[in-house]
Amino acid sequence: VLERLPQLSTLKKALEQHGLLGSLDKGGKLTLFAPNNSAFQAIKNVADKLSDIEFAQILKNHLIACLLYTSPS
């Protein structure tokens, strides 16, 4: 799904860089709260100061082990 949504390209890149993209490929009951490129740009100054471990943990906090649905806007 991330490949088809250009507004989530920064998220996809971050997940790849921190070895988390595979978590999404495993399937199962998983929901990703997906910040768009604008959200990443808004926190760039803060994100640049985080260690890889801290940034990876923040990304992990956007994944939950259950299915949630929303209607498209």
Side-chain angles (χ1 to χ4, degrees):
V1 172
L2 291 176
E3 292 82 20
R4 296 181 303 211
L5 300 169
Q7 67 271 29
L8 300 178
S9 62
T10 305
L11 172 63
K12 182 179 181 278
K13 183 179 177 181
L15 291 169
E16 287 173 339
Q17 287 177 340
H18 292 88
L20 299 172
L21 196 57
S23 299
L24 299 175
D25 292 335
K26 291 180 183 177
K29 296 180 179 180
L30 187 67
T31 296
L32 171 65
F33 292 96
N36 62 24
N37 294 344
S38 297
F40 278 98
Q41 187 60 37
I43 64 158
K44 184 170 177 24
N45 291 338
V46 173
D48 288 344
K49 296 175 185 173
L50 297 172
S51 70
D52 285 343
I53 293 170
E54 291 169 324
F55 197 82
Q57 185 58 52
I58 290 170
L59 291 171
K60 288 177 187 177
N61 289 340
H62 285 79
L63 293 167
I64 59 169
C66 70
L67 291 178
L68 299 175
Y69 298 94
T70 184
S71 60
S73 51

